[in-house]
Amino acid sequence: MISNAARVRLAQAERLLAGTALPGVWPRCAAWLIRLALEKELDALWARHSPQLIDCSRRSQLLALGVVADAQTQHHATELWNTLSRAAHHHHYELAPTAAELRGWLDGAALLCMRLSRLI
């Protein structure tokens, strides 16, 4: 079962994608919420498996994920986290993520959170 913290953030991102709330900034807000959901699920995993990893950097946690998850899950988590990190930061020379991109990331994060919640 996905942690409550991750579920709340995924639901908030879903609401942003469904409506016209926060015109102009909602795509980056949704990206942040999706990334936070993934991070909360990683925190829940480490709390169950290796609490000492909670204080490590997120990149270190993603590397360590290979110890408790298969290579595909680790790769997907790392790729999604990196993509969301880039998308969430505003750069004048880049367009905001599209609703279709966000929908794919949201769906991917929900599946990944479910997979992570079943580990250990």
Side-chain angles (χ1 to χ4, degrees):
M1 173 155 244
I2 296 176
S3 68
N4 190 47
R7 187 179 9 266
V8 166
R9 281 152 184 86
L10 290 171
Q12 290 168 338
E14 181 72 48
R15 282 193 289 280
L16 283 173
L17 285 173
T20 57
L22 302 172
V25 298
W26 70 267
R28 297 210 195 283
C29 289
W32 274 108
L33 287 168
I34 297 166
R35 187 182 116 172
L36 284 170
L38 178 57
E39 291 176 349
K40 292 298 180 184
E41 200 57 50
L42 283 169
D43 288 345
L45 169 67
W46 297 129
R48 289 189 311 273
H49 184 270
S50 301
Q52 66 275 17
L53 286 173
I54 292 173
D55 293 329
C56 292
S57 71
R58 199 59 71 185
R59 290 190 191 279
S60 297
Q61 291 178 13
L62 290 166
L63 283 171
L65 188 56
V67 173
V68 295
D70 59 274
Q72 182 182 6
T73 300
Q74 180 193 21
H75 176 74
H76 185 216
T78 302
E79 184 177 311
L80 183 59
W81 188 85
N82 286 330
T83 299
L84 290 167
S85 294
R86 281 190 310 276
H89 288 86
H90 177 76
H91 300 286
H92 294 290
Y93 52 85
E94 289 181 353
L95 296 173
T98 66
E101 288 174 317
L102 288 163
R103 169 61 57 202
W105 298 334
L106 178 63
D107 293 345
L111 288 172
L112 185 57
C113 286
M114 183 63 71
R115 221 181 297 161
L116 293 175
S117 74
R118 293 180 179 153
L119 295 174
I120 309 261

